[in-house]
Amino acid sequence: MSDPSNYGFDTLQIHAGARPDPATGARQTPIYQTTAYVFRDAEHAAALFNLQEVGYIYSRLTNPTVAVLQERIATLEGGVGAVCCSSGHAAQIMALFPLMQPGCNIIASTRLYGGTVTQFSQTIKRFGWSAKFVDMDDLDAVKAAVDDNTRAIFGEAIANPGGHIMDVRAVADIADEAGIPLIIDNTTATPYLCRPIELGATLVVHSTTKYLTGNGTVTGGCVVDSGKFDWTASDKFPSLSQPEPAYHGLKFAETFGPLAFTFHGIAIGLRDLGMTMNPQAAHYTLMGIETLSLRMERHVSNAEKIAEWLENDPRIETVTYAGLKSSPYNALAKKVCPKGASGLFTFAVKGGYDACIKLVDSLEIFSHVANLGDTRSLIIHSASTTHRQLTEEQQKAAGAAPNMVRVSIGTENVEDLIADLDQALSKATA
Ligand SMILES: *Cc1c(COP(=O)(O)O)cnc(C)c1O
């Protein structure tokens, strides 16, 4: 297709990045189930290895099926390029890798997916990196936390599981002033509901496992680059601005301009870390992404109705859905994600931990699983599962207190979902 800016989201989610297969005319993107690609001749091979010519060498680096998905997601997010990875957590490491050196830190939101809190508070320390966790509602605290070794600010547009909304534009201004990128995890919101790059983010990461695939079949991740950050403006990002010894002195920023981050992600990140998405996974995600906007509209309308029903139910203490008028994040949600606050939220059940466990066990349509963004409605008691590794204080900060459950509202008939919650709540609070 020609210039994507001529087309609407519903068209791009089907067509961006894809063209009829040049070999066969196949209309659907084939699964290029191959490890390697035959070079035309030795000269061609040398040009590819020198990054003088773009093409396929080996599927740890690039694969035609994965490449279509990369272009599709980059287009939907309004970025210049994207690198797909084996999972959302891989994408987070791939986003940080070009920015960080031992001794560097990131500022991370206190309200992040529990697995990300663990990755940032524990695992990245082994690389000599660290994270300072800050409440992103407190912009002065965010500003104050930035120091000379800070290389990025990281937050979720709509936080999993608490549904808190981050003021992406305000935090982007702080990152701009500090000369560092803002990285937004847009997994819960999706590019249909939130456009972090338009709000000033430099990089967007996704767990494509969730809404982008949309049917709970494969894990995957993606890092999208806005192409707008000047990596040479300071000496903070030598991997991108300085000669790369593992590529005989190539300077990524000078050679690839706005595509520097994406090329580094493939040529160094995937080459040496190997967290590659496989073509089967890319295929499932391409199938799912074709209906992203249609599904998100239903996820949002079902979630709005269910959140409202729960809020008025005497068995429920609180509902933290930013789409509710009563939410302290409702006004911000209208700015950050004007088409809706996604299908994910938490609620507190009277009767605490035990009632939550009983509720989860009594539901018939909702599945008790550690996933979100499926067409199926899902529920999990975060404190005893995904957020189990956190202290009770961290659990509360992340919106995963012991008396709360997280629901990912699916696209089923909303009356059926409400009836299921109703019967299970009766058992849980009897
Ligand atoms: C699931 C999730 C991740 C991690 O993604 P995986 O694909 O499970 O590795 C990161 N961020 C958010 C917001 C998530 O929901």
Side-chain angles (χ1 to χ4, degrees):
M1 74 193 308
S2 50
D3 183 3
S5 61
N6 293 331
Y7 299 99
F9 193 97
D10 297 348
T11 304
L12 294 172
Q13 71 187 358
I14 296 169
H15 292 285
R19 46 199 73 77
D21 182 49
T24 62
R27 176 59 274 198
Q28 190 49 275
T29 300
I31 304 170
Y32 284 91
Q33 195 64 59
T34 183
T35 306
Y37 308 84
V38 178
F39 306 121
R40 288 197 301 272
D41 50 34
E43 202 179 318
H44 176 223
L48 291 174
F49 275 96
N50 274 343
L51 299 181
Q52 285 157 340
E53 192 178 326
V54 177
Y56 297 101
I57 298 175
Y58 186 66
S59 284
R60 171 156 33 80
L61 307 171
T62 45
N63 170 281
T65 313
V66 179
V68 172
L69 180 62
Q70 287 172 163
E71 194 176 331
R72 177 95 35 102
I73 298 174
T75 304
L76 294 178
E77 286 286 1
V80 295
V83 181
C84 282
C85 323
S86 50
S87 69
H89 269 188
Q92 291 170 188
I93 295 296
M94 287 282 290
L96 294 181
F97 180 63
L99 313 177
M100 304 291 277
Q101 289 163 281
C104 291
N105 67 70
I106 57 169
I107 311 295
S109 169
T110 46
R111 300 187 183 98
L112 292 174
Y113 167 64
T116 307
V117 175
T118 309
Q119 188 187 56
F120 287 174
S121 63
Q122 307 297 331
T123 303
I124 64 169
K125 281 192 206 156
R126 314 221 177 155
F127 308 147
W129 310 345
S130 61
K132 301 190 212 178
F133 290 91
V134 180
D135 178 350
M136 294 277 160
D137 288 353
D138 185 347
L139 296 173
D140 291 333
V142 177
K143 208 182 269 190
V146 176
D147 65 34
D148 288 345
N149 292 321
T150 304
R151 292 294 177 271
I153 302 178
F154 187 104
E156 294 174 21
I158 303 179
N160 169 10
H164 306 85
I165 308 289
M166 179 171 152
D167 191 341
V168 178
R169 193 178 287 284
V171 179
D173 287 344
I174 295 172
D176 272 353
E177 208 173 296
I180 55 175
L182 171 65
I183 308 172
I184 292 294
D185 181 339
N186 204 25
T187 300
T188 305
T190 81
Y192 182 64
L193 301 177
C194 176
R195 314 270 303 171
I197 290 175
E198 283 170 16
L199 296 172
T202 298
L203 303 170
V204 176
V205 295
H206 275 283
S207 167
T208 60
T209 313
K210 314 292 171 53
Y211 287 112
L212 296 190
T213 303
N215 50 31
T217 46
V218 284
T219 63
C222 188
V223 190
V224 182
D225 181 19
S226 64
K228 290 181 181 157
F229 196 89
D230 181 1
W231 305 108
T232 62
S234 74
D235 57 6
K236 287 186 172 160
F237 304 103
S239 298
L240 295 158
S241 64
Q242 297 303 310
E244 169 58 54
Y247 249 108
H248 30 77
L250 179 102
K251 293 183 187 170
F252 278 87
E254 188 182 284
T255 309
F256 299 111
L259 281 167
F261 191 92
T262 302
F263 270 85
H264 189 281
I266 294 166
I268 307 286
L270 290 182
R271 186 192 68 176
D272 296 346
L273 301 177
M275 302 193 266
T276 308
M277 179 182 279
N278 68 73
Q280 282 281 348
H283 167 73
Y284 284 112
T285 304
L286 281 166
M287 293 300 94
I289 217 167
E290 293 189 349
T291 57
L292 179 63
S293 63
L294 310 177
R295 286 183 286 109
M296 292 318 293
E297 277 170 13
R298 177 65 74 84
H299 284 298
V300 166
S301 77
N302 278 0
E304 284 174 350
K305 286 178 193 139
I306 292 170
E308 219 163 280
W309 179 80
L310 286 167
E311 188 176 41
N312 291 312
D313 192 288
R315 295 165 294 189
I316 302 301
E317 263 170 36
T318 50
V319 183
T320 63
Y321 185 54
L324 285 171
K325 287 191 184 70
S326 59
S327 164
Y329 293 96
N330 191 249
L332 190 55
K334 294 205 164 84
K335 286 202 298 185
V336 174
C337 44
K339 290 204 186 79
S342 193
L344 186 77
F345 61 87
T346 58
F347 58 92
V349 183
K350 285 184 188 158
Y353 191 98
D354 294 338
C356 288
I357 300 278
K358 196 105 187 270
L359 168 69
V360 164
D361 283 343
S362 305
L363 284 160
E364 285 166 16
I365 300 176
F366 282 78
S367 306
H368 182 201
V369 300
N371 191 19
L372 65 95
D374 197 320
T375 44
R376 286 154 202 78
S377 289
L378 312 174
I379 189 164
I380 196 155
H381 183 229
S382 303
S384 62
T385 55
T386 50
H387 287 61
R388 200 183 175 86
Q389 309 306 329
L390 308 189
T391 64
E392 189 166 330
E393 199 150 295
Q394 284 175 318
Q395 287 174 350
K396 283 186 181 148
N403 63 340
M404 307 207 79
V405 290
R406 181 192 78 185
V407 282
S408 171
I409 301 298
T411 58
E412 301 99 330
N413 288 99
V414 71
E415 314 79 60
D416 294 340
L417 298 176
I418 289 176
D420 195 26
L421 285 165
D422 192 26
Q423 65 80 19
L425 278 168
S426 296
K427 288 181 187 147
T429 58

